[in-house]
Amino acid sequence: MNADAPHIDIEFVDVQDKVVNPLGVKGIGEIGTVGAAAAIANAAFHATGRRVRELPIRIEHLL
């Protein structure tokens, strides 16, 4: 979960990389998605009453 993620120091490296994308920047979006799967699984549980403990969540798991 997000509370278990260690402290992360973010440093900006001022180097463009046009191979990555047209803007030449690299993202750090993975850091914010630590708890996304758990949040979706909890939403499915609250909506259906079925606890899913494996990914990917399929309709067969919720029926």
Side-chain angles (χ1 to χ4, degrees):
M1 73 169 112
N2 288 336
D4 294 333
H7 177 74
I8 299 170
D9 291 325
I10 299 172
E11 297 180 17
F12 181 75
V13 180
D14 194 17
V15 176
Q16 288 192 350
D17 186 356
K18 295 294 184 183
V19 176
V20 176
N21 59 41
L23 295 176
V25 296
K26 298 177 183 178
I28 56 169
E30 303 85 21
I31 295 169
T33 62
V34 172
I40 293 168
N42 280 331
F45 170 70
H46 288 291
T48 64
R50 298 286 308 261
R51 179 67 69 189
V52 179
R53 298 190 186 275
E54 61 185 71
L55 295 175
I57 298 172
R58 296 193 173 109
I59 191 69
E60 297 87 25
H61 299 140
L62 300 175
L63 296 176

